[in-house]
């Protein structure tokens, strides 16, 4: 479920950052946006994973998916990761031939990406 972002023009970005912002500003943007994404994913799991029917009986959600959403940061604090941590979450996110998908991470990521880009743009302008 990992998504990648390719950054082009890194030299130009570094030059602009040297003039307008510090590396600590970039680290703060990464930390804030990763934490916000983490919160959005946790809230979305409560909205989407509301239980299911199994063998004619309704099974209430346990909250394991929500509890598995934990942010982590690289040692240089320039990379932040978060997402669903249960082994079955890819099946819920993408669906199977027997069940429809119930996406949580992708919609949250798309919303947060706009905010992340806006925050980085503020640093270089």
């Amino acid at each position: 479920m990992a998504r990648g972002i390719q950054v082009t023009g890194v030299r130009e970005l570094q030059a602009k950052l040297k003039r307008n912002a510090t590396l600590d500003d970039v680290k703060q943007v990464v930390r804030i946006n990763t934490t916000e994404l983490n919160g959005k994913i946790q809230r979305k799991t409560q909205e989407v994973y509301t239980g299911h029917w199994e063998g004619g009986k309704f099974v209430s959600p346990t909250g394991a998916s929500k509890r598995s959403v934990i942010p982590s940061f690289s040692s240089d604090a320039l990379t932040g990761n978060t997402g669903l941590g249960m082994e079955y979450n890819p099946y819920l996110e993408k669906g199977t031939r027997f069940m429809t998908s119930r996406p949580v991470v992708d919609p949250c990521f798309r919303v947060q990406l706009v905010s992340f880009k806006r925050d980085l743009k503020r640093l270089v302008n």
Side-chain angles (χ1 to χ4, degrees):
M1 183 84 253
R3 293 189 61 111
I5 299 174
Q6 181 178 359
V7 179
T8 55
V10 174
R11 288 189 184 119
E12 294 83 2
L13 176 64
Q14 286 174 335
K16 269 266 210 217
L17 283 173
K18 284 180 184 175
R19 288 191 300 263
N20 297 341
T22 66
L23 200 55
D24 289 336
D25 295 332
V26 176
K27 290 177 183 180
Q28 183 177 4
V29 166
V30 169
R31 179 166 291 282
I32 288 170
N33 280 276
T34 302
T35 305
E36 286 178 1
L37 178 60
N38 190 70
K40 286 177 183 176
I41 292 171
Q42 286 181 336
R43 284 189 297 280
K44 187 81 168 171
T45 58
Q46 287 182 298
E47 294 171 16
V48 175
Y49 303 152
T50 56
H52 62 279
W53 289 92
E54 188 174 302
K57 185 176 180 183
F58 183 75
V59 179
S60 296
T62 63
S65 290
K66 179 183 175 187
R67 288 190 304 273
S68 74
V69 181
I70 300 170
S72 64
F73 299 92
S74 65
S75 60
D76 62 2
L78 292 174
T79 303
N81 293 307
T82 188
L84 298 169
M86 301 302 289
E87 67 277 355
Y88 56 79
N89 286 127
Y91 301 111
L92 296 174
E93 186 79 15
K94 295 294 183 183
T96 68
R97 64 183 176 165
F98 299 112
M99 69 180 218
T100 60
S101 64
R102 296 189 277 172
V104 171
V105 176
D106 192 50
C108 294
F109 175 78
R110 290 175 189 272
V111 170
Q112 193 64 41
L113 184 60
V114 173
S115 176
F116 181 66
K117 286 180 178 180
R118 183 186 66 237
D119 292 347
L120 283 180
K121 192 177 275 191
R122 254 190 238 139
L123 288 180
V124 296
N125 288 333

